[in-house]
Amino acid sequence: MKIILFDPPVRRSLARYDDVVNTPLSSCLLAGYAAASLQAAGFEVDLVVRQKLPPLFDRPLIALHLVYQWEYTPSLLKRLGRLKEENRIAHLFVFGFYPSAFFERLLEEYPFLDGVIVGDPEETLLQLVNRLTRHEEWRGTEGVAFREAGQTCLVPRPDEKDLDRLPFPRRTGLSRGTAYLLGSRGCYGQCRFCTIHFLSRGRSHWRGRSPENIVDEMVQVRKDWDARYFYFADPNFCGPGKKGRERVARLAHLIRMRLPGVTFGMECRADNVEEALFAELTAAGLRDVFLGVESFSQRMLDRFRKGLTVEQNIRAVEILQRFGINLSLGFIMFEKESTLDDVRTNFDTLRRLDLLTHPSNTAHLLSHRVFLFQGTAFSPLGKAKDYEAPYVFDEEEVRILYDTIYSRCRRVMREMDGADYEDPGHPRYRKTNQSLIGYFEAALARREEAKQGPLLKDEVSCEG
């Protein structure tokens, strides 16, 4: 049986220009891992990473890596559904973070789907394909949800514990010179807004590969693709506790020994940032860190269930700045319960720490809001049909501020299109950046004045 793994790029409309949280970054290698596992078992697999499918022959099995594609999700699925109804494909399954969390809804809304692969896809796909090629009953395969007699059925498959046993993911090239890696899966955090746990059916479950296995893959990718820059797409690069720190230190040592001259980036929490550990990582080639700060307001950190303090966030930023790391922040300026005091605290701290550095970055930090995805602890949707809940700010002045600055920030991001990351010191970009900061400052001050209201006569100072 011919197998096509379809991994179409995300289509993003102008309305969703900066909405980058529709799937975790770690999803970028899931289809590659699935393809490699099937190939290692001897199956012929086409990995298609463009919007259009190739010509279809011999009624193949199609497994779609379904990233939530905003308003384009229904049209993508219905396009495949027409092929199924025309008998041009034999079987159609979907897998990924989004399908794992919403398999019941997908099977109800799109009855042409044979099933949904829930959780890690590699072993499930392998068993499923084995059964299909032997013409055996595939329903009941662990990890495959399906509909029968009007009911959704699923025998769950445990998460893969030994990630070292998986073949290295199949690659179709580098992304703008970057080789993405997954050194681990899952996260031990419990942030209320996060979709990382969708693949583990809501569980906080971090699993790490061995440093030796990771570096073996890096060596191979450098040989095959001449890769010089690697980015760890792990939701949490470091892992928990003392063992997590020891593992990362071992990884840094192996990179220095076996891959001299490479550079890399990664993502972590503020409580992972320790001076001695990051000195080792920097010596091994660490250049870029995406730091999950989220807020400099303790009230909001507690509401997010981040498990961190403002002091930890600030300390982590300052350590990374001392090492000369290119720093990007996971940051939420606006949330439905945000107050103007929260916004003011965040804005002043971002400026004091010199984090509003160039227009694209500044626009993102000053306008980003949390998303109310069903399946996260923040969502009020329950069993509603919509994937994303409508947004209503509790404080009217915050709503007005957000409406005032969002279109300006979005326009800046669209105009820059990332070019300012290449030369942030260019006079044009510096001017745009300062203008945007000033615009936000003025808009925030107006809302603070409006909330305070007009001064009473006896409140006016005689000193002017």
Side-chain angles (χ1 to χ4, degrees):
M1 172 178 286
K2 187 176 180 63
I3 303 162
I4 296 176
L5 293 185
F6 188 28
D7 191 19
V10 173
R11 295 176 64 189
R12 186 174 296 133
S13 65
L14 289 178
R16 295 291 191 176
Y17 189 80
D18 191 45
D19 296 356
V20 295
V21 293
N22 55 325
T23 190
L25 179 61
S26 54
S27 68
C28 69
L29 289 170
L30 276 185
Y33 268 106
S37 295
L38 289 168
Q39 281 184 308
F43 292 103
E44 179 188 353
V45 181
D46 282 350
L47 178 57
V48 180
V49 293
R50 58 181 185 271
Q51 287 288 349
K52 291 186 177 180
L53 281 168
L56 299 176
F57 304 102
D58 301 326
R59 299 183 66 244
L61 177 153
I62 293 181
L64 165 67
H65 178 213
L66 181 58
V67 171
Y68 184 61
Q69 301 250 6
W70 306 112
E71 65 266 36
Y72 300 112
T73 301
S75 61
L76 171 63
L77 287 168
K78 288 175 182 177
R79 175 158 52 105
L80 291 170
R82 285 193 295 272
L83 296 177
K84 182 83 183 312
E85 291 164 358
E86 293 167 3
N87 204 31
R88 296 176 62 191
I89 58 179
H91 298 281
L92 176 60
F93 297 88
V94 295
F95 66 96
F97 281 81
Y98 168 53
S100 292
F102 301 100
F103 61 89
E104 292 184 78
R105 178 193 305 176
L106 287 168
L107 290 169
E108 288 178 11
E109 292 186 5
Y110 304 100
F112 50 80
L113 292 174
D114 289 285
V116 176
I117 294 164
V118 178
D120 294 326
E122 295 89 352
E123 188 63 27
T124 300
L125 260 174
L126 185 56
Q127 291 193 17
L128 177 64
V129 172
N130 271 319
R131 292 185 178 188
L132 286 169
T133 54
R134 293 195 295 258
H135 304 287
E136 297 175 355
E137 176 54 59
W138 60 266
R139 295 168 182 81
T141 303
E142 284 188 349
V144 180
F146 61 96
R147 293 279 288 179
E148 189 169 68
Q151 300 294 319
T152 301
C153 307
L154 171 66
V155 179
R157 179 181 298 280
D159 293 339
E160 178 62 60
K161 294 180 180 179
D162 183 10
L163 299 179
D164 283 7
R165 66 177 286 275
L166 298 176
F168 298 151
R170 177 172 161 182
R171 299 174 185 272
T172 56
L174 304 183
S175 177
R176 298 184 179 181
T178 297
Y180 285 93
L181 296 165
L182 272 183
S184 64
R185 292 189 184 182
C187 182
Y188 60 86
Q190 300 181 23
C191 301
R192 298 178 68 199
F193 53 80
C194 190
T195 61
I196 292 297
H197 305 312
F198 282 2
L199 205 65
S200 298
R201 303 196 68 198
R203 296 187 299 276
S204 301
H205 189 194
W206 184 91
R207 299 156 284 153
R209 295 166 61 189
S210 70
E212 291 77 11
N213 184 252
I214 294 170
V215 174
D216 283 346
E217 182 185 357
M218 295 174 73
V219 169
Q220 180 178 309
V221 173
R222 184 170 70 169
K223 177 183 176 182
D224 293 345
W225 298 96
D226 193 29
R228 300 291 169 175
Y229 179 77
F230 296 85
Y231 192 86
F232 287 89
D234 310 31
N236 194 320
F237 173 81
C238 292
K242 181 181 178 183
K243 287 186 177 180
R245 293 191 294 273
E246 291 172 347
R247 171 182 170 276
V248 170
R250 172 67 176 164
L251 177 58
H253 171 75
L254 290 175
I255 292 174
R256 289 184 68 183
M257 294 302 101
R258 298 184 61 191
L259 292 156
V262 304
T263 55
F264 61 95
M266 48 87 120
E267 310 194 354
C268 67
R269 289 165 50 94
D271 52 350
N272 299 136
V273 180
E274 297 183 355
E275 194 134 9
L277 179 61
F278 275 72
E280 295 182 56
L281 287 165
T282 303
L286 178 65
R287 296 293 178 267
D288 303 284
V289 171
F290 181 89
L291 186 68
V293 167
E294 317 314 343
S295 182
F296 292 112
S297 161
Q298 191 60 54
R299 188 183 79 87
M300 297 313 296
L301 287 175
D302 293 342
R303 174 161 163 75
F304 296 156
R305 204 165 61 199
K306 188 69 183 177
L308 293 171
T309 65
V310 171
E311 291 73 22
Q312 285 176 298
N313 279 342
I314 292 174
R315 179 175 176 271
V317 168
E318 292 174 341
I319 288 173
L320 295 174
Q321 288 175 328
R322 283 200 297 273
F323 281 119
I325 300 295
N326 297 318
L327 179 61
S328 298
L329 295 188
F331 198 76
I332 299 169
M333 178 63 83
F334 293 97
E335 194 271 323
K336 69 179 297 294
E337 290 192 12
S338 292
T339 66
L340 288 180
D341 288 341
D342 296 321
V343 175
R344 169 59 71 183
T345 296
N346 278 326
F347 178 60
D348 288 348
T349 307
L350 287 169
R351 285 201 299 184
R352 178 169 62 82
L353 294 175
D354 195 27
L355 293 168
L356 302 175
T357 53
H358 48 282
S360 295
N361 177 63
T362 297
H364 176 77
L365 292 175
L366 295 183
S367 65
H368 191 59
R369 63 176 173 87
V370 75
F371 289 83
L372 304 178
F373 289 147
Q374 184 181 345
T376 65
F378 258 157
S379 175
L381 287 173
K383 291 291 185 179
K385 291 290 185 183
D386 293 328
Y387 181 51
E388 183 185 3
Y391 223 91
V392 180
F393 289 103
D394 289 356
E395 190 170 298
E396 178 65 8
E397 295 300 336
V398 172
R399 182 196 65 77
I400 296 173
L401 175 63
Y402 179 80
D403 290 346
T404 300
I405 61 93
Y406 178 69
S407 58
R408 175 77 172 263
C409 289
R410 189 176 64 175
R411 185 168 66 251
V412 166
M413 285 184 282
R414 191 165 58 246
E415 290 172 353
M416 294 296 105
D417 198 27
D420 51 324
Y421 284 93
E422 304 300 325
D423 185 15
H426 190 283
R428 174 197 168 200
Y429 300 145
R430 287 204 307 270
K431 181 178 179 180
T432 300
N433 196 55
Q434 290 305 312
S435 174
L436 184 58
I437 293 171
Y439 183 81
F440 187 94
E441 169 68 80
L444 175 57
R446 285 196 301 271
R447 302 282 42 95
E448 290 170 328
E449 292 171 4
K451 183 178 180 181
Q452 183 180 0
L455 294 175
L456 299 175
K457 215 172 192 181
D458 59 0
E459 293 177 318
V460 179
S461 169
C462 294
E463 298 176 357

